[in-house]
Amino acid sequence: ARTTNDAATRVKAFGEMAEVLENTGEPDEALRIRRDEQLPHCEAKNDLQAAAFVRGKMADILERTGRRDEAFRIREEDEIPVYEQLGNTREAAIARGKNANIQRQRGNLDEALKIHREERLPAFVSLEDDREVAVTQCSIADITAQQGAHGEALKTLRSNLAVFARFGDTRQIAFTNSSIANILTMSHLRDPDSKKLDEALRILNDESLPAYRGLGDVREVALITGQIIDIEIMQGKPERAERVLREEVLPGLERAKDTVQIAVHRLKLGVLLIGQNDKRPEATRLLRAAYATLNKIKHTDAQTIKMLLETLDIDLQE
């Protein structure tokens, strides 16, 4: 019994270590620990569920660091089938939801929406899992907002904040608040209203950013800071944008090794610099580097960069 308990304790300790490393900007080391330390223990005990869980965590890290195809494959081939075999409806639905989010990032909004509505949501409703029902409803709201249904999406997100508060889920509250701010920003673009931007900025500065700082999540702090800069530029206040992107946002994303978001924010910095003659060579390098990363994963921003460089009569390659 003691050996079993010791093994379980080691597996748990490796998991906790990996979680801390991932949140503090060491995803490659977190991935190594999951793969080389935690997973072999689970497999040695023939613990199929624990092994599937660890593989899912590995997929999460791969997705965060831009290796989305591999993350998608692991969930589809090595995680979801195991949960289905074991009758673990809850974990299978969570994994499906994560792959639905990858479909969304690929631009397959209808497919993502179908998974959330027809597979994920019914599973959590049947399990009477209020938190995951709320998370799924928020995922659906984010997609429908992309399709233009801003008002209904905001209503859904705001109503579910109370659910996450009941569970004391600081991370999900912070994430939902950042989604609300993002939709307010999208809504402003369609129907200009400075009050929407003011409210979005307040939410990010007063709610999401302090929460992620408290969690020690360098990646999310960088992303929220980038979101704040986007709004300030829209408000006609670009003065600190270049400095913050250089000194706070990109270094944070580089620490987190989030290759996709590094590319997205290199694009933002490149756009800021491209109009300054003395900084145009640097802007060109940033845009080319961003294109190389984003085009590889068929990210929609790759076409944005291509059109921008073609307009400026700049080659995509050096």
Side-chain angles (χ1 to χ4, degrees):
R2 181 176 175 180
T3 303
T4 301
N5 288 338
D6 286 349
T9 300
R10 288 193 70 188
V11 169
K12 183 180 178 183
F14 282 131
E16 291 172 349
M17 190 187 308
E19 200 79 29
V20 170
L21 286 165
E22 186 179 357
N23 286 338
T24 54
E26 296 292 339
D28 288 343
E29 180 61 12
L31 183 62
R32 187 197 67 76
I33 288 172
R34 298 278 191 196
R35 183 189 62 235
D36 298 342
E37 307 289 349
Q38 196 179 21
L39 185 60
H41 278 281
C42 299
E43 292 177 331
K45 292 192 301 174
N46 199 30
D47 190 334
L48 297 180
Q49 178 150 304
F53 179 80
V54 173
R55 287 193 175 96
K57 288 292 188 180
M58 290 165 57
D60 292 346
I61 297 170
L62 289 165
E63 182 179 351
R64 267 193 168 199
T65 52
R67 292 165 278 186
R68 290 174 178 164
D69 289 346
E70 179 64 8
F72 191 92
R73 185 201 64 76
I74 287 172
R75 293 190 188 116
E76 290 294 319
E77 297 179 8
D78 301 328
E79 187 183 7
I80 293 171
V82 174
Y83 288 139
E84 289 177 336
Q85 176 189 338
L86 297 172
N88 192 332
T89 305
R90 183 179 186 278
E91 292 300 332
I94 289 173
R96 282 197 184 94
K98 290 175 179 178
N99 271 0
N101 290 335
I102 291 180
Q103 293 281 27
R104 175 191 170 193
Q105 292 156 6
R106 290 170 172 169
N108 302 327
L109 299 187
D110 290 340
E111 178 63 22
L113 206 52
K114 181 180 179 182
I115 294 169
H116 286 307
R117 282 177 170 163
E118 298 180 13
E119 298 182 43
R120 187 180 175 195
L121 188 59
F124 293 131
V125 169
S126 68
L127 292 168
E128 298 181 351
D129 189 329
D130 292 346
R131 181 193 173 277
E132 290 298 336
V133 167
V135 170
T136 306
Q137 288 173 341
C138 289
S139 296
I140 291 169
D142 283 339
I143 296 171
T144 56
Q146 276 187 266
Q147 295 175 326
H150 299 151
E152 189 61 31
L154 285 171
K155 182 180 177 181
T156 299
L157 291 167
R158 285 168 171 155
S159 67
N160 280 308
L161 282 172
V163 178
F164 301 133
R166 176 156 57 88
F167 285 94
D169 194 335
T170 303
R171 180 177 294 279
Q172 193 62 43
I173 291 170
F175 182 80
T176 304
N177 273 318
S178 68
S179 291
I180 290 169
N182 187 48
I183 294 170
L184 286 168
T185 305
M186 285 194 292
S187 180
H188 164 80
L189 290 172
R190 189 173 70 176
D191 181 20
D193 180 351
S194 61
K195 291 181 180 178
K196 294 174 184 175
L197 292 185
D198 291 341
E199 177 62 7
L201 208 52
R202 184 201 67 76
I203 290 169
L204 294 172
N205 278 313
D206 296 350
E207 307 291 344
S208 294
L209 194 56
Y212 282 127
R213 281 178 174 154
L215 291 167
D217 192 326
V218 293
R219 175 183 178 273
E220 293 298 337
V221 167
L223 289 175
I224 296 299
T225 303
Q227 207 173 337
I228 289 168
I229 287 301
D230 289 343
I231 295 172
E232 289 181 355
I233 291 171
M234 291 171 66
Q235 290 178 321
K237 298 181 286 187
E239 297 83 8
R240 70 188 198 109
E242 181 182 340
R243 180 189 63 77
V244 172
L245 284 169
R246 287 186 188 280
E247 298 177 10
E248 297 180 37
V249 178
L250 281 167
L253 294 172
E254 285 160 2
R255 279 189 64 196
K257 296 182 172 63
D258 188 329
T259 55
V260 175
Q261 287 299 328
I262 289 168
V264 168
H265 286 79
R266 280 176 174 164
L267 164 59
K268 292 180 183 180
L269 182 57
V271 169
L272 277 176
L273 302 181
I274 199 71
Q276 304 176 44
N277 287 334
D278 59 328
K279 296 178 180 177
R280 187 158 176 164
E282 180 189 5
T284 301
R285 288 195 298 273
L286 287 166
L287 293 169
R288 283 172 173 160
Y291 178 80
T293 298
L294 298 176
N295 188 53
K296 190 181 298 182
I297 61 169
K298 298 179 174 61
H299 194 288
T300 53
D301 281 346
Q303 290 307 306
T304 302
I305 299 170
K306 184 178 180 180
M307 287 188 290
L308 174 61
L309 292 180
E310 284 176 352
T311 301
L312 296 169
D313 199 24
I314 297 172
D315 291 336
L316 280 170
Q317 308 293 333
E318 287 190 56

